[in-house]
Amino acid sequence: MPTYDFIVVGSGIAGLSYTVKVAQYFQDKQIPIKIALITKTVAEETNTKYAQGGIAAVWDNQDSFEKHMQDTLVAGDFESDAKVVELVVKEAPERLKELISYGTDFDRKSDGSFDLVKEGGHSDKRILHYKDSTGNEIERALLEKVKSFDSVDFFTHYFAVDLITQHHLGEKVTKDTPHKKCFGVYVLNKKTKKVETFIGKTTLLATGGIGQVYQSTTNPTIATGDGIAMAYRAKGFVKGMQFIQFHPTALYQPGKKPNFLISEAVRGHGGILKNLDGSTFMEKYDERLSLAPRDIVARAIDSEMKKNGTDHVYLDTRHIPKEEIMAHFPMIYQYCLDQLGIDMSQEMIPVVPCQHYLCGGIIVNEYSQTNIEHLYAAGECSHTGLHGANRLASNSLLEAIVYAHRAFEKSIGEFGTQTIPEGIPNWNDEGTRNPEEMVLVTEMTRELESIMSNYVGIVRTDRRLKRAYDRLELIYLEHEELYKQSKITVPLCELRNMINVAYLIIKHARAQRENKGLHYNLDLLNA
């Protein structure tokens, strides 16, 4: 079994930027190390790739750290950790300069200055972007950089199954066990269908979001909450799972998953939300109209659709000059034209809210450390305290690079202090057989998505949450029996992780007895 100095699970912005920094540091010091970078499909397929809008940072004298911090706190319904907000906002420009130094392009004006834009919840123009595919551009630059290092072993089509802890050495591990340690990861090689043991002195989880738990999501099919579920099973601490962000404006395409995102930047550029009869409605909900924070806009759209009995609303961009649309939103324009035959300069775009981002996750400190020694987490799978009850637009890519950097700083300081115990066992699947009833996994997955979408969505009630909990318990028991009997497969493991994640979302939502940010329970309105 191979032993690595660093194991990174996930190849989005958090995992890649951490890998680049670690590899560069030891290369400069001429210290030989081995880094394993593990990703479940191809390297490029991550939540980062689908991030359209941009990355927020204070970039000129018109703006200020104080304004960015205040906007973040307001959007988070003052549930954010003020110290975390300050450190992220103040470290943002430096981290962005590093991305630029790696070759990331951001759009510039004719005078060479950055073309900063404004999005919902922001009081100033501070979003750096590359057309309407910023995440894809960042991913491209980071991947090129990572591939330049000989110390990085890239494992594509490998699926992380479970973290290795003292539990695998025969010790009883509970949430209260002191000095829990991570020694690496059991990983399924999708090509050989064998589980391999990756021993690691330091492990970083950068596994992205949980979108596939819902029927409609902008997340790619790989977003099944794997890192959160693995950490939870290893007795890692998790927080804030009730705060699920539903993006107000995904393109309305019934039956399609993932949903195509119509970036918030389109509303930042003047797009107006309208009902099917062409009437505006945001004035009834918020004075900021279509540029109100996402939770308010998503609930407003949900309310209008329920009131009018419609399946979607419209986003009107017909008043924006076509050359501006083509300059800022070429990908969105072409997608709408190719998929629905809609020219967004001439016709309104049908949109609907869908799951977009998780504000909770694995609890980490200011250096991305979890409560399990030598285990770090960064990006959407982590809970830093930045987002509070609702994420401010374009703060997510920013959080990922700031915390990847902080994980790098702390983990190089730990380097050389970790010891790997003898006797870590290989994966044991004796007595199991190849699962014959894959239809059970497919149907359980569909049922799970339905439960979460119908009962744990934008608007909740106590009865809906209890119904979701009771139905999920039946799926859990059915899946556990199948899992114990079967040789593992990716669909079986992904469903296991989604059940864990759904349980945490429901549990945290039932415990939340005040409407804050993204958690909106009708039974709490008069509480």
Side-chain angles (χ1 to χ4, degrees):
M1 57 182 78
T3 298
Y4 286 90
D5 297 294
F6 299 89
I7 295 175
V8 180
V9 186
S11 60
I13 185 173
L16 291 180
S17 52
Y18 175 83
T19 302
V20 166
K21 285 170 183 285
V22 171
Q24 187 72 63
Y25 174 84
F26 286 102
Q27 180 176 285
D28 291 347
K29 291 198 169 296
Q30 298 183 321
I31 299 173
I33 59 159
K34 288 174 69 180
I35 304 171
L37 183 54
I38 298 166
T39 183
K40 66 198 270 191
T41 58
V42 294
E44 296 83 359
E45 185 66 2
T46 66
N47 277 22
T48 299
K49 174 184 172 182
Y50 294 91
Q52 293 177 358
I55 187 163
V58 174
W59 208 257
D60 62 30
N61 296 330
Q62 307 295 313
D63 199 2
S64 69
F65 289 144
E66 288 68 29
K67 286 200 282 187
H68 190 179
M69 285 154 53
Q70 184 65 15
D71 291 345
T72 301
L73 291 167
V74 169
D77 212 349
F78 296 97
E79 287 289 302
S80 305
D81 183 323
K83 288 181 181 174
V84 168
V85 172
E86 182 176 4
L87 76 85
V88 171
V89 166
K90 288 187 173 177
E91 291 181 19
E94 202 56 42
R95 302 286 78 82
L96 268 170
K97 286 173 188 171
E98 288 171 348
L99 280 184
I100 294 164
S101 76
Y102 300 153
T104 304
D105 277 333
F106 292 112
D107 287 349
R108 296 176 185 265
K109 298 176 184 173
S110 56
D111 64 1
S113 63
F114 287 111
D115 178 32
L116 302 173
V117 297
K118 187 176 179 180
E119 291 185 356
H122 287 272
S123 58
D124 223 313
K125 290 184 176 182
R126 64 171 71 99
I127 316 297
L128 284 83
H129 60 96
Y130 178 77
K131 306 282 188 288
D132 52 357
S133 53
T134 308
N136 196 34
E137 169 60 15
I138 293 170
E139 182 86 2
R140 177 202 63 75
L142 282 170
L143 269 174
E144 282 184 17
K145 187 74 175 169
V146 164
K147 288 173 180 176
S148 71
F149 295 105
D150 294 333
S151 57
V152 180
D153 291 343
F154 221 133
F155 295 91
T156 60
H157 303 284
Y158 275 69
F159 181 88
V161 178
D162 269 323
L163 297 171
I164 302 169
T165 67
Q166 294 103 311
H167 165 78
H168 297 96
L169 295 168
E171 294 181 33
K172 182 176 173 60
V173 177
T174 71
K175 65 181 177 62
D176 299 318
T177 301
H179 304 296
K180 293 187 283 284
K181 293 181 176 66
C182 178
F183 305 120
V185 197
Y186 289 119
V187 186
L188 175 65
N189 180 331
K190 290 166 71 173
K191 290 175 182 170
T192 66
K193 297 182 170 52
K194 301 290 185 189
V195 177
E196 299 176 14
T197 307
F198 282 65
I199 304 298
K201 297 172 184 173
T202 295
T203 301
L204 173 79
L205 294 174
T207 52
I210 54 90
Q212 295 302 315
V213 168
Y214 288 87
Q215 284 174 329
S216 299
T217 180
T218 60
N219 291 185
T221 54
I222 58 165
T224 49
D226 306 323
I228 295 168
M230 284 194 295
Y232 173 68
R233 290 194 296 268
K235 310 306 177 191
F237 296 152
V238 177
K239 184 178 180 182
M241 298 292 287
Q242 70 272 40
F243 298 125
I244 308 284
Q245 189 173 80
F246 288 81
H247 199 289
T249 55
L251 187 63
Y252 176 64
Q253 289 178 283
K256 189 169 179 64
K257 188 178 183 182
N259 296 64
F260 183 76
L261 180 66
I262 306 297
S263 169
E264 184 145 6
V266 177
R267 282 180 287 128
H269 211 80
I272 300 168
L273 290 163
K274 294 183 176 180
N275 274 314
L276 269 56
D277 62 4
S279 63
T280 61
F281 57 85
M282 278 308 301
E283 62 274 10
K284 293 186 282 185
Y285 298 93
D286 196 280
E287 62 185 13
R288 290 164 288 188
L289 307 177
S290 293
L291 278 175
R294 291 175 180 178
D295 58 323
I296 295 169
V297 179
R299 280 199 300 274
I301 294 173
D302 184 68
S303 173
E304 291 294 308
M305 285 164 48
K306 287 189 168 114
K307 192 163 59 182
N308 298 321
T310 57
D311 294 329
H312 63 86
V313 296
Y314 282 123
L315 184 60
D316 190 356
T317 55
R318 295 173 297 177
H319 54 287
I320 303 172
K322 184 169 183 175
E323 59 270 19
E324 285 189 32
I325 290 174
M326 296 304 292
H328 290 277
F329 311 113
M331 183 174 72
I332 294 173
Y333 178 87
Q334 200 60 48
Y335 189 92
C336 290
L337 195 62
D338 292 346
Q339 295 290 317
L340 298 178
I342 289 174
D343 179 341
M344 62 188 276
S345 69
Q346 304 292 323
E347 302 162 87
M348 293 193 287
I349 309 166
V351 294
V352 65
C354 74
Q355 193 284 337
H356 183 57
Y357 189 84
L358 171 68
C359 290
I362 307 159
I363 297 175
V364 297
N365 66 10
E366 67 270 30
Y367 289 102
S368 285
Q369 293 172 293
T370 70
N371 65 303
I372 300 172
E373 291 176 21
H374 316 310
L375 179 68
Y376 294 74
E380 192 173 348
C381 71
S382 69
H383 180 282
T384 65
L386 174 68
H387 305 307
N390 184 17
R391 173 180 69 96
L392 180 66
S394 292
N395 264 0
S396 50
L397 294 176
L398 173 60
E399 177 193 47
I401 54 171
V402 168
Y403 273 82
H405 176 78
R406 291 178 149 261
F408 152 72
E409 287 187 318
K410 183 60 75 171
S411 59
I412 60 168
E414 276 191 338
F415 182 72
T417 65
Q418 311 99 316
T419 55
I420 302 295
E422 297 290 322
I424 290 176
N426 281 318
W427 185 261
N428 183 3
D429 62 0
E430 281 181 27
T432 61
R433 59 182 184 271
N434 289 321
E436 296 166 10
E437 298 286 355
M438 284 308 293
V439 67
L440 292 176
V441 175
T442 305
E443 287 306 313
M444 278 190 271
T445 302
R446 283 185 186 146
E447 195 177 345
L448 173 81
E449 293 172 0
S450 174
I451 287 166
M452 295 303 291
S453 296
N454 291 323
Y455 306 138
V456 202
I458 298 171
V459 176
R460 303 158 182 178
T461 65
D462 289 342
R463 179 173 289 178
R464 288 179 204 172
L465 292 173
K466 183 183 186 306
R467 188 177 178 87
Y469 187 92
D470 293 343
R471 296 297 184 276
L472 184 69
E473 188 171 26
L474 297 175
I475 296 173
Y476 167 75
L477 293 171
E478 192 177 334
H479 176 272
E480 273 294 285
E481 185 181 358
L482 184 64
Y483 184 84
K484 286 172 182 171
Q485 297 169 354
S486 305
K487 292 190 186 301
I488 65 170
T489 64
V490 170
L492 189 66
C493 288
E494 286 184 329
L495 176 57
R496 179 191 188 208
N497 292 339
M498 288 194 286
I499 290 168
N500 288 161
V501 165
Y503 164 75
L504 288 166
I505 294 169
I506 297 165
K507 179 185 175 186
H508 291 190
R510 293 182 82 186
Q512 176 75 28
R513 301 314 296 164
E514 181 184 6
N515 282 340
K516 298 286 283 184
L518 299 163
H519 178 78
Y520 194 78
N521 184 332
L522 292 174
D523 292 322
L524 300 180
L525 287 178
N526 301 312

